[in-house]
Amino acid sequence: MQKIAIIDYNMGNLHSVERAVVHAAGGHATVAITSDPDMIRQADRVVFPGQGAARDCMRELETRGMAEVVREVIRTKPFLGICMGMQVLMQHSEENGGIECLGLYAGKVRYFGAVHQEIDVRLKIPQMGWNQIWQQMPHPLWNGINDGARFYFVHSYYVEPQTPDLIAGSTDYGISYASAIARDNVFAIQAHPEKSADDGLKLLENFVNWQP
């Protein structure tokens, strides 16, 4: 039976993610919330969820010795990043006056408010609620999910990759932005699949069965 590790760095809605992954696995995997580097390294799959601020996220990762663990497993295992778990993969975030992130992909994390002001768009920040994701590439995690399916979002910042070939899905909120990225064994999504009803559970099921 495969092992799925959900990274615990003292942030994020971990137990709702755990329940959703357990449901998606259908009894064919053990699912553990853990901050133990060895357990994460030994897992067959890794989920990196998160909510909150980039500064707090990076501080917790560094304090707990988790930053290098993430950099290690992201190269070797099927890896799913959710919300902050997507943003922190980039080089730099505008949040908290500017924060260096894990730097695994070229690009930055930008604030909706500043960009909306530039183009004179007035939308509530954070983006909170249901919105569509338009699939920008075929990917196994999109299997059984319609293009333009609605997912649940809660965020004030969005990912801006340096190269468009990283973008797996896009969403419109005043601008069109990258709401999912994918490369090799990594898939990350800005929305919360654990809160996104049947399509969210389908994405998690696809992750559990994904063989990149």
Side-chain angles (χ1 to χ4, degrees), residues 74-75 77-79 105 139 166 182-187 210 212:
I74 204 169
R75 296 193 296 266
K77 304 176 187 296
F79 183 99
Y105 298 114
H139 195 280
L166 190 65
R183 181 168 292 165
D184 301 326
N185 57 299
V186 176
F187 189 97
W210 183 28

Side-chain angles (χ1 to χ4, degrees), residues 74-158:
I74 204 169
R75 296 193 296 266
T76 59
K77 304 176 187 296
F79 183 99
L80 175 64
I82 298 173
C83 194
M84 180 57 69
M86 171 180 171
Q87 294 182 9
V88 78
L89 303 181
M90 309 309 287
Q91 292 171 311
H92 182 84
S93 174
E94 292 180 351
E95 195 169 5
N96 306 122
I99 296 293
E100 296 304 309
C101 298
L102 290 173
L104 295 163
Y105 298 114
K108 55 190 174 182
V109 181
R110 302 201 63 194
Y111 178 51
F112 272 128
V115 178
H116 285 177
Q117 188 174 25
E118 290 171 6
I119 60 176
D120 197 24
V121 167
R122 301 187 183 209
L123 291 171
K124 290 183 179 180
I125 301 169
Q127 176 187 195
M128 182 179 298
W130 296 84
N131 206 341
Q132 291 175 286
I133 297 182
W134 302 100
Q135 298 168 20
Q136 300 300 311
M137 66 168 71
H139 195 280
L141 266 68
W142 294 137
N143 289 348
I145 299 173
N146 290 333
D147 192 19
R150 299 179 75 84
F151 284 75
Y152 189 81
F153 291 80
V154 183
H155 64 124
S156 301
Y157 293 79
Y158 67 93

Side-chain angles (χ1 to χ4, degrees), residues 5-76:
I6 299 174
I7 295 177
D8 177 9
Y9 57 103
N10 201 34
M11 292 179 66
N13 198 6
L14 297 176
H15 292 288
S16 64
V17 174
E18 179 190 31
R19 288 192 295 271
V21 174
V22 167
H23 179 84
H28 299 295
T30 60
V31 181
I33 297 172
T34 181
S35 58
D36 183 336
D38 289 334
M39 283 188 66
I40 297 167
R41 290 187 178 102
Q42 291 165 13
D44 300 295
R45 299 172 190 276
V46 175
V47 179
F48 183 7
Q51 294 175 330
R55 176 183 58 201
D56 298 334
C57 174
M58 288 304 303
R59 183 184 64 237
E60 291 292 332
L61 287 175
E62 296 291 353
T63 300
R64 293 165 176 255
M66 301 291 288
E68 285 309 311
V69 176
V70 173
R71 291 188 179 101
E72 178 182 333
V73 299
I74 204 169
R75 296 193 296 266
T76 59

